[in-house]
Every structure is written in C-alpha cells, then in structure tokens.
Amino acid sequence: MIAGNKPMDRSHWSNFYTVDSFRNRGANAVDILSEYLADSQARTRSHVLNSESPTDRLKYWKSRLNGDLGPVDGALLSEDFLAEVLQRSNHLHDPRYAGHQVAVPLPELAWIQAATALLNNGMAIDEMGPASGPMEEAVMQSIAQFMGFGEDSGGILTHGGTLANLTALLAARQRKSLGNAWRDGTNQKFALLVSDQAHYCVDRAARVMGWGREGVIQVPTDKAHRIIQSELVAAHEAALSKGFQVIAVVGNACTTSTGTFDDLEMLADFAESNELWFHVDGAHGAGQVFSKTHRGVLRGLDRADSVAMDFHKMLGIPALCTGLFYRKGSDAYAAFSQEAHYLYESEDEEWWNLSKRTFECTKRMLSVAVFGIWEAHGPRLWESLVDRLVDRAKVAAAEIERRPRWELFATPKSNILCFRLRDGDNAALRSRLIERGPYYIVKTVLDGQTWLRCTFQNPLTTDEDIFGLLDTLESMH
Ligand SMILES: Cc1ncc(COP(=O)(O)O)c(C=O)c1O
C-alpha cells in the first residue's frame, strides 16, 4: 500500500501485479517447463505432433470458451491452461522432430524471453530500448563484420525473414531506381531477378511494392535447383528489352524445399557488372557462415548489398528473430524515411532510433538473446550447432543411399534433406506416419513429384532416431 492511500482494491488486474504470486507461479512454471523438456528429450510421448484434425483442434479450444467466461477462483489463469498448451503443441524438443525449419530453441533462452516479455521495452526509439537498442546496434555490426563485411557495415533485427526480405528490397529500390519511389510513388516498371525456387515471400515483397506478378522474373534452375547463369543473362536482357528497370538480383542461400545454395560469386559478378542490387535470402542457410566446415557454400556472401539471416532457423534462437545485414550500413536508411514528430527529433540518420530502419514501430527486444549468445560464445556455439545439424542430414543421406528402396534428391549441403521411396505413394506414407507417430517430418513437391522432407533442427536427434524413422517408414509401406 502506498503511504496515505486507501488499501488497493483487489480487482482482477491488481492480482496479476502481486510479486509473491509472480514468484510462486514462476517457480511452478519453471518446474512444469523443465518436466516438459525432460519428457521431450526422453522421447516419452507417442507422437511428436498429435494427429488430430484442424477441425478437432479448433473444437477443443472453442469448447473452452463456451458458457460463462471467468473469473477463475484464486488463480490468474485456468489451472490446466499451461499444461494443455504444452500437451497440444508440436513437440520440437523431442529428438524425433525433423519437420519445418524452426529452431529447437536453446532452453536457457526461454528465461531471456521471459525477462524481455516482462520488460517489454518497445524498441522503436532510444528511450524505449535504452539497453536493447544499443545492444542491437553493437551486435549487428559485430556479426556483419564477422560475415566479411567492412567497418561501415551494419544491420537491424526484424520479426522474420519475410519482413527482412521486403525491407532489403525497399532499400534496393530506393538506391537503384532513377526517381524517388518512396517519396513520390511511381508508375515505372520495376523488376527483380530470382530463381524459380525462391521462397514465396520474395514474390510477395515485389507485389507489396506494386511491381505486380511480372515484376518477379523467375530464372530457370538446374537439376539441383541452382540458378543457371546463361538463363540469368537471357532473362535480364529480355526484361530490359520489354522496358523493365531491373533493380536487384536475389540469391538463395539456401532454397526452402531442398536446401540448395545458389552460386553467390556468380550472382555477385552479375550484379556488379549490371549495376544491380545484390540481395541474399539467407533466411535458412546464411547461419552456416559460422561454421568453418559448412561456410564454403556461401562464397560470395560478403559481396552482397544485403543479407537476410533467420536466427530462429539454424541458430537456436526462439522465433521470430531475423538479422538483416547491409554491406554499407547507411543503406538501411534508404528503405524508409518517415516524418514522425512524436517519435523522432529530425529526419537525419539516427542509429539510436531503430525504427528509422525497420518496418516495425514497436518490436520485441530481439537483440537480447542474440547479444547474450554472441558475447558468451562468439561464433563457436553456432558453429557447433550448425555442424551438428548438417551432420544429421548427412547421416540420414548416407543411410538412405545404403537402402535400395530409397532415392535421395541431392547430397545435403545444409540440414534439409529430400528423399522418397521409389515405389510408393510418398504423400500417403507421410500422412500414415503422422497418424502412427512418433516421428514428425514434412513433404514437398519437386518437379511435380511428392518427396519426403526432413529439416534436422534438433541437435539431440541421434543416428538411432534417424534409422528408426526410416525403418518405420519402410515397415508401413
Ligand atoms: C529461404 C527462405 N526465405 C524466407 C523465409 C521466410 O522466413 P520467415 O518465416 O522468418 O518469415 C523462409 C522460411 O522458411 C525461407 O526458407
């Protein structure tokens, strides 16, 4: 009670701010989450992903909202709420998870997330991120230089690769177009060149900028899904002859479906000789820059004007957390320029007002986890993680090659692996696997055919888990 004030009304909101309750429930949550982690790592569940239909999942959550809502006696949230969220989620920490490309977070970072959720500094301007703002500036510069960029490089953190790619392409348009499209709008025909295997968000970014479907020129790829140089040259010439102003070439590092890396040196040469912006969509694979063993596929990365790299894919950081790096740090200011007198002192570059370079105004304190890891480990933790995850894909590939009924799409260069039974309905097989459990893998369509697809995200996945997955698939066929 504040001296001189009346006792506080124990209203709903005030219960949430009680320190003792926070402490007790926090201790309880630590126990529940630790138990969850232990169960996951011990492979105690029958299914990594429960096989309920989306409709049944919705029915359950709707049923909880039927009837009168709250209040719950003596509790801040329903007694079973956390347990049900845990139970009904996809269990990434189970070593038999090898599905979509989302980090299996380093558990320690859950406590950092809790701390930043509590602090909730909004990040848009210096005063709303007095610790995490300068941490972001410092750690992004440090990592940019580690990636091979020079001293005037830099970057920002953003909520996801989709937003990072759009932001980079906005900067590209402003730097490479003849007019000032950001200020004046434009009816010019802009275009970018990218492989026909790019993530859909590159196409989406171009359409958001008003370039339309023709503004994304999909360059044909070879059997391994790499851009074909002669096709790139031809596509560029064709675009120019049709009156397009080509702004950028985008390289994949790597493709989502198959984990294929474009030849970044070749793309850098091409961009340089044609005065194009060179952006690398390294959302998935740019993290391999931390590995001495697996960074060869990124040769040429340091010649990019901008690189998007998801910390929440190969690097163990909880989603969403993407680094957008610029070879020339000041290019970041080209993406947006906004008068906002309630926020900024001037229209100048002010590194300390981070939202001058990001789409987001308020964003989470993304830098804290990245800074904490980088300060404590430098590149070594991420190197060991990348090495382990890529090694998982290599072990699986070797085993698949040993088994005559299986076919491999390509030797893995990352932690992504596509494979299939030669004589089976691979889509049906995958559905049966999910229903049966415990493994979780996904599928994709390559050149009109369904392939099974694993992304090895969990460093605790053992060789035996991999052999068990293949044995189970074979036994079900
Ligand atoms: C190559 C590539 N680019 C972009 C994205 C989109 O990233 P995010 O999901 O972080 O928005 C993905 C996601 O899988 C990706 O694989």
Side-chain angles (χ1 to χ4, degrees):
M1 182 170 64
I2 301 166
N5 281 3
K6 283 200 216 136
M8 254 205 311
D9 169 25
R10 304 308 297 170
S11 57
H12 288 290
W13 64 263
S14 72
N15 293 333
F16 275 88
Y17 288 90
T18 307
V19 174
D20 279 347
S21 156
F22 176 75
R23 195 191 310 278
N24 294 337
R25 293 184 66 85
N28 193 29
V30 168
D31 282 344
I32 292 174
L33 293 178
S34 301
E35 211 51 46
Y36 171 79
L37 189 60
D39 284 349
S40 300
Q41 293 186 358
R43 303 168 179 78
T44 56
R45 294 191 184 82
S46 63
H47 288 73
V48 171
L49 171 73
N50 77 51
S51 59
E52 270 183 325
S53 71
T55 310
D56 285 342
R57 298 190 214 281
L58 180 61
K59 208 181 279 173
Y60 170 75
W61 291 108
K62 275 194 157 175
S63 76
R64 291 183 63 116
L65 300 183
N66 286 342
D68 289 341
L69 296 178
V72 184
D73 270 352
L76 300 184
L77 300 171
S78 302
E79 207 58 48
D80 64 343
F81 185 63
L82 179 55
E84 287 294 339
V85 172
L86 292 174
Q87 166 65 18
R88 290 170 180 274
S89 291
N90 193 332
H91 306 298
L92 278 60
H93 281 277
D94 188 311
R96 297 163 303 184
Y97 173 93
H100 286 291
Q101 302 151 267
V102 183
V104 175
L106 300 160
E108 172 71 14
L109 297 181
W111 310 139
I112 295 294
Q113 294 283 87
T116 57
L118 188 71
L119 287 166
N120 211 26
N121 279 205
M123 296 299 290
I125 54 168
D126 169 62
E127 293 170 11
M128 286 309 295
S132 41
M135 284 166 85
E136 179 165 329
E137 184 70 359
V139 77
M140 292 303 281
Q141 278 179 8
S142 179
I143 296 175
Q145 288 177 25
F146 176 86
M147 290 166 76
F149 289 153
E151 288 207 344
D152 58 354
S153 59
I156 44 109
L157 288 165
T158 190
H159 289 90
T162 299
L163 212 45
N165 284 331
L166 171 60
T167 305
L169 292 169
L170 282 164
R173 183 183 65 174
Q174 200 65 0
R175 284 288 187 252
K176 293 293 179 185
S177 68
L178 299 176
N180 185 337
W182 178 260
R183 190 189 58 202
D184 304 326
T186 179
N187 52 14
Q188 277 180 280
K189 281 168 60 175
F190 291 127
L192 60 84
L193 294 155
V194 68
S195 103
D196 58 13
Q197 297 300 323
H199 191 268
Y200 72 82
C201 69
V202 175
D203 179 83
R204 214 176 248 194
R207 292 180 197 236
V208 166
M209 292 189 290
W211 300 6
R213 137 183 94 155
E214 287 198 314
V216 178
I217 300 166
Q218 294 194 349
V219 183
T221 47
D222 62 18
K223 266 185 151 174
H225 286 181
R226 283 156 65 102
I227 283 188
I228 301 168
Q229 187 174 6
S230 57
E231 297 283 1
L232 178 66
V233 172
H236 185 226
E237 281 169 5
L240 295 180
S241 71
K242 284 192 221 156
F244 282 98
Q245 195 187 335
V246 181
I247 296 290
V249 60
V250 177
N252 285 316
C254 48
T255 58
T256 308
S257 272
T258 59
T260 302
F261 290 79
D262 277 326
D263 179 346
L264 302 183
E265 283 284 23
M266 182 273 282
L267 295 181
D269 288 341
F270 178 81
E272 212 169 273
S273 54
N274 292 287
E275 296 186 19
L276 304 178
W277 182 278
F278 178 30
H279 175 65
V280 174
D281 179 0
H284 185 85
Q288 290 184 209
V289 75
F290 299 110
S291 162
K292 289 186 276 301
T293 313
H294 298 297
R295 71 163 66 122
V297 284
L298 294 168
R299 205 162 292 123
L301 185 79
D302 56 343
R303 295 174 62 197
D305 293 291
S306 52
V307 177
M309 180 173 87
D310 281 358
F311 288 98
H312 64 263
K313 286 197 165 57
M314 290 187 92
L315 303 177
I317 307 278
L320 286 166
C321 183
T322 300
L324 173 54
F325 299 91
Y326 293 91
R327 180 155 48 89
K328 220 165 117 202
S330 58
D331 280 342
Y333 296 92
F336 314 101
S337 122
Q338 209 82 52
E339 275 185 44
H341 297 299
Y342 48 88
L343 274 182
Y344 309 134
E345 287 152 39
S346 76
E347 284 185 57
D348 297 342
E349 294 180 6
E350 295 164 337
W351 71 259
W352 54 92
N353 290 329
L354 291 177
S355 56
K356 288 202 158 183
R357 288 174 281 167
T358 58
F359 217 106
E360 299 98 323
C361 175
T362 303
K363 71 176 181 188
R364 287 202 300 110
M365 299 167 71
L366 302 173
S367 62
V368 179
V370 176
F371 190 101
I373 293 293
W374 189 244
E375 178 191 29
H377 299 274
R380 278 169 292 280
L381 172 75
W382 285 329
E383 173 167 44
S384 67
L385 195 52
V386 165
D387 286 353
R388 173 71 180 172
L389 298 180
V390 179
D391 180 65
R392 300 298 77 207
K394 289 194 180 294
V395 166
E399 183 63 15
I400 286 164
E401 281 189 314
R402 216 181 53 74
R403 299 183 185 214
R405 293 174 65 190
W406 295 93
E407 185 182 357
L408 205 56
F409 177 78
T411 305
K413 299 277 194 298
S414 180
N415 58 339
I416 299 173
L417 188 73
C418 293
F419 61 104
R420 65 178 175 182
L421 266 179
R422 290 177 194 280
D423 54 349
D425 176 343
N426 286 272
L429 188 59
R430 191 259 172 185
S431 299
R432 287 205 299 279
L433 178 74
I434 299 303
E435 212 165 294
R436 178 195 181 281
Y439 302 95
Y440 180 68
I441 66 171
V442 294
K443 62 181 165 59
T444 188
V445 175
L446 307 173
D447 308 321
Q449 305 283 320
T450 299
W451 292 72
L452 302 175
R453 177 170 170 273
C454 288
T455 312
F456 292 96
Q457 291 289 159
N458 192 326
L460 298 178
T461 300
T462 61
D463 292 6
E464 287 66 37
D465 292 322
I466 293 168
F467 305 152
L469 164 67
L470 295 173
D471 288 344
T472 304
L473 284 167
E474 277 183 6
S475 73
M476 288 168 34
H477 176 51

